[in-house]
Amino acid sequence: MFGSSISAVLTYLMRIQVPAPHGGFLILPLVSNPILWVVDILVGSVISGVIYGLYRGKRKKIDN
């Protein structure tokens, strides 16, 4: 959820307009700046992955 929030904030700061409230990549033709929108999604995904990796690393140390 944190990575998704980062993506949403980046989209807002870059003033990218997404007219549909949902739809994923199906609404790509409707987005005002589709390339930046996809970059924002990728940034949020990478942040989510890093946070998950850190969480899993700490969890393994606790379990051992």
Side-chain angles (χ1 to χ4, degrees):
M1 290 176 68
F2 187 73
S4 177
S5 298
I6 294 293
S7 293
V9 168
L10 287 173
T11 300
Y12 176 76
L13 291 175
M14 294 180 184
R15 298 178 186 211
I16 298 172
Q17 295 180 2
V18 183
H22 58 80
F25 288 102
L26 295 174
I27 62 163
L28 191 60
L30 303 176
V31 178
S32 64
N33 193 337
I35 294 174
L36 277 180
W37 185 63
V38 171
V39 169
D40 291 345
I41 292 171
L42 292 175
V43 168
S45 298
V46 168
I47 289 172
S48 291
V50 169
I51 290 172
Y52 182 69
L54 293 172
Y55 169 75
R56 292 288 295 169
K58 289 182 181 181
R59 178 108 192 235
K60 285 183 180 181
K61 289 179 185 176
I62 292 171
D63 289 343
N64 289 334

